[in-house]
Amino acid sequence: MPLQHVGQISAWFAGTDIALLELRGPGGSLTLRQHHGSITADLDENASCTAMPPAVLDVVTAASVGVFLHRHPLHEAPLVRVGERMQAGRTLGLLRIGALLLPVAAPRSGIVAGVLVAHDTMVGFGARLFELLPLQP
Amino acid sequence: MIEILSDTALTTVQDLGRFGFLNWGVGASGAMDPLALAGGNLLLGNDENAAAVEVQVFPFAVRFHVPCGFAVTGADCAARLDDQPLLPWWSGEAAAGQVLHLGLPANGSWRGSRAYLCLAGGVDVPCVLGSRSTQLRGAFGGHEGRALRQGDRLRAGLPGAGVRPTGFGLVPPALAMPLVSEGMVAIRVLPAAEYDRFTPASRDVFWSAAWKITPQSDRYGYRLAGPRLDLVAPIELRSHGIVPGVIQVPHGGQPIVQMRDAQPSGGYPKIATVIEADLWRLGQAPIGSRVRFLESTWEEALAALDETARWLAKVHELATLQGGRAGRA
């Protein structure tokens, strides 16, 4: 991270009520702390943090053509919400094929990161339905 | 093998009913919601007519003593297997020792009042006079001819793990084939033999009123509350054969709809008859709710029966396909 940007980031940071901000990149890491209005910055240009891999999201796709349902037809509440932790195998959504309802299941345990299709939308085979942040890679 | 854990009342084993014995005084019995029973059975690859447990009083719980495929249909009653929630109208598989809980029926977009617990291969009770339904009046059929009690154990026809593919469900027929009038469940009926003997005002109000299902309503019959229905002149009738769906009007002027456990004869004037295809709608209407009657014709009644037959055929086709696919996976 270019050193000249630290001042700008610190100024933005001062305008928030965030107490701790850590930025990591291939060039090093920046830690900003805010305490009683004063800001301390630690810039570490050591390459030790370059091993931090970007989070890889699982994409859950439609196993069949059907109408994607984000909630059960009898229910008002969605089956899952973004940020919710789901165990492997739990139902994230449904595919309606005529009278039949098929589950869209979590392939492994994770946190729901995105619902990619609106409720009651016709989808094709392989359509991307959910993003899931796996809890164990 | 399942064991009834609840100190239950009015829970019985039912199939689609016992037909062809009304002339001997043997009533029909059978599920109050035949579509829920048939739908649950089809999810499991069972015959539509396989016997299941009809639950009318909640909460309700059973323990599986051996692994078994099952389906819960009918009222949406927040079913869960141990602590895992189960969607309405859904099939699952229980491991030995697991407990299936049914909670109070929910007030969702559709509110039912009876749930069906279907088991892989059907509930294995003896077939009496062509049916496994409990005949409470005659104390035969079902499980020992009586309602289930805490501690009773029932066998499934096809117990075991992985015997039937499970883990999918159905869109409830109340949503697939809705029939609502002015926000109330609507029931199609045919005018019956004594319809013309009621006053014109009573006939009009029969169609326009919101009929409340009173607490004196059960598998034998539904006593409705609403405007008084009057005959032009009193009539005396000999007792004659009646079937589930017949709407009688006794002296008080408040109608009674005969339901699955109705006795096969009666002598009150009959104002109308619920069409066979809509008996399930009434069978699921909760006590305290209001229903409306829609005048129908013989042709419409047959068309409605065809519509439910088509729905069941479609469910059968899709569930068989899905079962085959899940079985290969």
Side-chain angles (χ1 to χ4, degrees):
Chain A
M1 174 180 323
L3 202 56
Q4 66 269 27
H5 290 168
V6 174
Q8 181 61 61
I9 293 170
S10 299
W12 287 335
F13 183 58
T16 70
D17 54 3
I18 297 168
L20 174 70
L21 176 76
E22 272 190 333
L23 287 175
R24 288 167 190 249
S29 74
L30 170 70
T31 307
L32 295 177
R33 286 188 179 79
Q34 186 158 223
H35 188 64
H36 297 305
S38 69
I39 291 172
T40 55
D42 275 317
L43 186 64
D44 181 0
E45 288 183 272
N46 198 320
S48 64
C49 51
T50 54
M52 189 72 181
V56 177
L57 296 176
D58 273 350
V59 174
V60 185
T61 59
S64 137
V65 175
V67 175
F68 171 75
L69 301 180
H70 191 207
R71 55 180 180 81
H72 187 276
L74 283 178
H75 295 164
E76 290 300 320
L79 286 154
V80 289
R81 290 188 163 87
V82 170
E84 204 171 326
R85 204 180 168 120
M86 297 299 285
Q87 285 175 308
R90 289 291 295 274
T91 302
L92 304 171
L94 299 167
L95 282 177
R96 186 180 74 220
I97 304 165
L100 208 62
L101 294 176
L102 302 183
V104 178
R108 47 182 165 162
S109 299
I111 294 167
V112 180
V115 184
L116 306 178
V117 175
H119 175 73
D120 209 6
T121 306
M122 184 80 193
V123 296
F125 173 81
R128 297 157 60 91
L129 303 177
F130 293 96
E131 285 175 334
L132 205 63
L133 181 67
L135 287 173
Q136 280 132 5
Chain B
M1 174 100 67
I2 59 168
E3 180 186 349
I4 311 296
L5 298 182
S6 309
D7 183 12
T8 183
L10 310 174
T11 301
T12 51
V13 174
Q14 301 290 343
D15 59 13
L16 290 174
R18 185 172 282 109
F19 301 103
F21 301 100
L22 285 175
N23 55 327
W24 293 355
V26 178
S29 309
M32 289 282 275
D33 182 349
L35 281 189
L37 177 95
N41 278 326
L42 291 175
L43 275 175
L44 292 169
N46 292 348
D47 189 278
E48 282 176 25
N49 188 32
V53 177
E54 180 182 85
V55 185
Q56 313 191 84
V57 178
F58 302 87
F60 178 79
V62 296
R63 185 187 305 281
F64 287 85
H65 285 285
V66 294
C68 192
F70 67 91
V72 181
T73 58
D76 172 14
C77 48
R80 57 192 166 84
L81 187 61
D82 286 344
D83 57 353
Q84 294 289 308
L86 198 74
L87 289 169
W89 289 72
W90 207 257
S91 65
E93 186 173 301
Q98 282 196 297
V99 174
L100 177 72
H101 302 264
L102 306 185
L104 299 178
N107 282 315
S109 45
W110 170 72
R111 187 172 160 226
S113 59
R114 293 179 169 86
Y116 294 83
L117 168 58
C118 302
L119 302 177
V123 174
D124 183 14
V125 293
C127 193
V128 182
L129 291 177
S131 167
R132 293 182 166 80
S133 285
T134 310
Q135 190 7 298
L136 288 175
R137 216 183 278 275
F140 64 85
H143 180 70
E144 300 178 359
R146 60 169 172 82
L148 296 173
R149 291 197 287 252
Q150 194 173 33
D152 278 346
R153 292 183 176 217
L154 298 170
R155 276 193 314 272
L158 285 170
V163 172
R164 290 287 166 82
T166 57
F168 53 98
L170 294 178
V171 178
L175 302 185
M177 296 179 280
L179 191 60
V180 174
S181 171
E182 293 171 19
M184 281 172 277
V185 168
I187 310 286
R188 288 167 288 191
V189 305
L190 301 170
E194 286 79 48
Y195 177 74
D196 291 331
R197 310 283 290 269
F198 287 86
T199 64
S202 290
R203 280 182 259 156
D204 286 346
V205 85
F206 178 74
W207 303 116
S208 62
W211 293 99
K212 186 178 180 184
I213 297 172
T214 68
Q216 288 78 47
S217 299
D218 53 24
R219 287 185 47 89
Y220 292 96
Y222 279 18
R223 285 180 179 268
L224 307 180
R228 188 189 155 89
L229 302 176
D230 290 311
L231 292 160
V232 173
I235 42 176
E236 291 296 329
L237 295 170
R238 290 183 182 212
S239 281
H240 51 270
I242 54 172
V243 294
V246 164
I247 307 175
Q248 297 178 315
V249 183
H251 302 306
Q254 298 289 279
I256 303 171
V257 191
Q258 302 300 312
M259 299 303 278
R260 308 300 312 193
D261 283 344
Q263 58 183 26
S265 67
Y268 293 126
K270 306 173 295 298
I271 190 167
T273 304
V274 176
I275 68 170
E276 191 181 336
D278 280 355
L279 278 172
W280 68 273
R281 299 181 198 272
L282 197 56
Q284 283 291 8
I287 283 173
S289 71
R290 288 168 199 274
V291 298
R292 285 205 58 191
F293 292 122
L294 303 179
E295 187 168 3
S296 192
T297 63
W298 175 253
E299 289 73 26
E300 284 169 357
L302 291 181
L305 215 48
D306 284 345
E307 189 191 10
T308 56
R310 277 197 303 275
W311 183 81
L312 284 169
K314 204 74 200 161
V315 167
H316 184 229
E317 181 191 324
L318 287 165
T320 306
L321 261 169
Q322 178 56 26
R325 191 158 58 181
R328 282 196 307 275

